[in-house]
Amino acid sequence: MSSTEADCLFCKIVLGDIPSTPVYETGLTYAFRDINAQAEIHVLVVPRQHYEDAAVLASEDPALLAEVMLAGVEVAKQEGIDESGYRMVFNTGPDAGRTVFHAHLHVLGGEQLGLFGRPYRTG
Ligand code: AMP
Ligand code: ZN
């Protein structure tokens, strides 16, 4: 498996071909601000290597998945939301509204967050 995918937005961000606002990085992960923040603090953590989604990452490299999660915890500390609280989310598949096909962890906080689930149902 190649480590990057030519048409992948987040591979391009990792390579610096598309600009991003860096927040935190390790040898195997990179964290940057979400361009369309859904909370006061909204950071994405990605493995530098391309995996299609969190499920593939979990089965192919669980140690790297753990490093992504630990990076999310470090982001929360660095952003000063480790005490106030934060949410870490992987969207996987269409019902979760996943739009970018490179595994990414959302770290959200900095304010009281809304509840999960069923936001689109009116009846
Ligand atoms: P998901 O819906 O879980 O696939 O999340 C994809 C996230 O990537 C969304 O929250 C987008 O706002 C975010 N996003 C898309 N393009 C960029 C970009 N160029 N820089 C930073 N975040 C982005
Ligand atoms: Zn990628």
Side-chain angles (χ1 to χ4, degrees):
M1 181 182 141
S2 64
S3 63
T4 60
E5 297 281 322
D7 291 332
C8 174
L9 175 65
F10 288 172
C11 281
K12 290 177 181 166
I13 284 179
V14 166
L15 291 170
D17 293 344
I18 289 177
S20 62
T21 304
V23 173
Y24 180 77
E25 58 187 305
T26 67
L28 298 176
T29 72
Y30 177 59
F32 55 99
R33 298 208 184 276
D34 194 294
I35 205 168
N36 184 24
Q38 300 298 310
E40 284 293 326
I41 306 288
H42 188 171
V43 175
L44 301 174
V45 185
V46 300
R48 292 183 185 276
Q49 184 168 339
H50 182 91
Y51 290 91
E52 182 175 328
D53 62 27
V56 175
L57 176 58
S59 71
E60 293 194 5
D61 196 341
L64 181 54
L65 174 61
E67 182 161 333
V68 169
M69 296 294 290
L70 283 168
V73 172
E74 286 305 316
V75 165
K77 288 180 188 164
Q78 188 177 299
E79 294 291 305
I81 57 172
D82 53 321
E83 299 276 323
S84 53
Y86 55 96
R87 182 173 293 157
M88 297 203 286
V89 176
F90 285 102
N91 290 323
T92 303
D95 276 358
R98 202 271 299 257
T99 59
V100 178
F101 294 81
H102 178 131
H104 52 280
L105 173 66
H106 296 259
V107 182
L108 300 134
E111 62 182 312
Q112 182 69 57
L113 300 174
L115 296 173
F116 281 121
R118 298 188 174 169
Y120 304 116
R121 292 190 186 177
T122 54

